[in-house]
Amino acid sequence: MMDALLPTALMLLLTSGCCSGQDALPSSPLPGAVGGSVTFTTSIASTEKELDTIIWQFTTGSEAVVTVFNSTNNAATGPEYKGRIGVDTFTGSLELRELTLKDSGNYRVNLTVNGTEHTGETTLGVYENITGISITGPTEALIAGKSSANLSCQATAGTNISREWLKDGDPLSPSNRTKFSEDNSSVSIDPLQGTDSGQYQCRLTNPVSTDTASYNLTVNFGPENVVINGEAAPEVNSKLELICSAESVPPASFSWLVNGTARAANGSLVIENVSINDAGNYTCVASNNVTGL
């Protein structure tokens, strides 16, 4: 009975005209993940009576596979869909399981409800979930004004991927120093500045998954803006503390000269009891052993 039914159903699908309208399926495409499932939900309200006829056509590449149900629940299904299909005989909705990339394509349904025909057509896109995302970048010490950096973002699996770059949680924009590859898989910064230090993120997205990788970039710079804080005119016999600071990565080391003579070798210089002999010129020297400045 199923063998006799299939050719008749196929001819009906390909030659029948529009009856009550192409309203049985939403027109927007459906996304599905490899190995997952998707349901094509029709607009037919469920009733106590099963539909008279349910015909699904799946066009994947050049193949057309037809599943037919009628009031006696006879069905004919293409071999690639055996065990992967479920049909609600009251609404005509179709569940397709164990999705593969080959399931992407156009899907068409023809339903008969109390003698009235309804048709619908939509598209399914099947995608691999994104996994194994990572960012690779420079391994050597980076120095502001001298070094450049190239960050590359890749994933071990995933299809139809779009990429977005962020720095410290905010979108990273192109500039005269920051340039992206054509497919957005890498970003280069040349030359680097101290403000380029931070956490860089690459966010990969496709219609079924999203994943993010992070990379901490450190740019060595300085010392810059060396400042001495303390009392310039202390009273005799008082305690004097001069503190030296500088903007530097890594943190700067400090040394002091008093009237040209070396004194302390740290960030602060302390005189417990100031005397007139302590008057003079105090100089703080900040050094960065990575930048050599």
Side-chain angles (χ1 to χ4, degrees):
M1 182 173 183
M2 283 192 285
D3 293 338
L5 177 62
L6 180 55
T8 303
L10 181 58
M11 182 176 295
L12 171 64
L13 179 62
L14 298 180
T15 62
S16 62
C18 177
C19 295
S20 64
Q22 297 183 352
D23 58 354
L25 288 175
S27 58
S28 56
L30 290 174
V34 171
S37 62
V38 67
T39 298
F40 299 88
T41 302
T42 72
S43 59
I44 306 301
S46 180
T47 64
E48 295 182 358
K49 180 184 176 182
E50 293 183 331
L51 302 187
D52 299 326
T53 304
I54 304 169
I55 306 173
W56 278 96
Q57 182 182 30
F58 316 138
T59 305
T60 57
S62 60
E63 293 188 28
V65 181
V66 174
T67 298
V68 180
F69 290 81
N70 63 12
S71 57
T72 58
N73 293 328
N74 290 318
T77 303
E80 293 187 5
Y81 295 89
K82 291 289 188 182
R84 298 200 297 132
I85 285 177
V87 176
D88 185 334
T89 57
F90 292 90
T91 66
S93 297
L94 170 76
E95 181 188 25
L96 182 57
R97 301 181 291 270
E98 300 175 21
L99 293 172
T100 70
L101 294 176
K102 292 182 178 180
D103 290 324
S104 295
N106 296 322
Y107 289 70
R108 181 177 174 84
V109 67
N110 185 292
L111 308 173
T112 305
V113 185
N114 295 324
T116 301
E117 293 184 33
H118 298 263
T119 63
E121 187 171 354
T122 191
T123 302
L124 172 67
V126 181
Y127 311 91
E128 286 183 339
N129 282 308
I130 298 169
T131 58
I133 180 175
S134 62
I135 298 177
T136 57
T139 56
E140 71 278 8
L142 304 174
I143 299 176
K146 296 182 179 180
S147 302
S148 61
N150 185 76
L151 303 180
S152 178
C153 178
Q154 302 296 336
T156 57
T159 53
N160 198 44
I161 294 174
S162 63
R163 293 172 170 85
E164 179 185 17
W165 286 92
L166 303 97
K167 178 179 181 291
D168 297 327
D170 296 321
L172 185 64
S173 301
S175 68
N176 59 340
R177 295 188 305 109
T178 304
K179 303 184 185 308
F180 298 90
S181 63
E182 185 174 350
D183 63 355
N184 222 31
S185 64
S186 63
V187 57
S188 62
I189 307 173
D190 184 24
L192 287 167
Q193 297 178 354
T195 54
D196 294 319
S197 291
Q199 185 182 75
Y200 288 76
Q201 293 179 313
C202 175
R203 181 181 297 157
L204 302 188
T205 304
N206 69 11
V208 295
S209 61
T210 299
D211 202 358
T212 302
S214 298
Y215 182 92
N216 290 316
L217 184 72
T218 300
V219 181
N220 301 284
F221 72 94
E224 299 173 354
N225 301 322
V226 183
V227 175
I228 298 175
N229 290 308
E231 178 59 59
E235 295 181 359
V236 174
N237 296 326
S238 66
K239 179 180 178 179
L240 172 65
E241 182 176 16
L242 301 177
I243 299 175
C244 188
S245 63
E247 297 175 8
S248 178
V249 173
S253 58
F254 301 97
S255 60
W256 290 85
L257 300 174
V258 178
N259 296 324
T261 301
R263 289 284 294 272
N266 52 52
S268 63
L269 187 150
V270 178
I271 302 175
E272 293 293 339
N273 292 291
V274 174
S275 69
I276 294 177
N277 295 330
D278 292 317
N281 185 29
Y282 287 67
T283 302
C284 171
V285 180
S287 301
N288 184 320
N289 61 356
V290 175
T291 64
L293 301 177

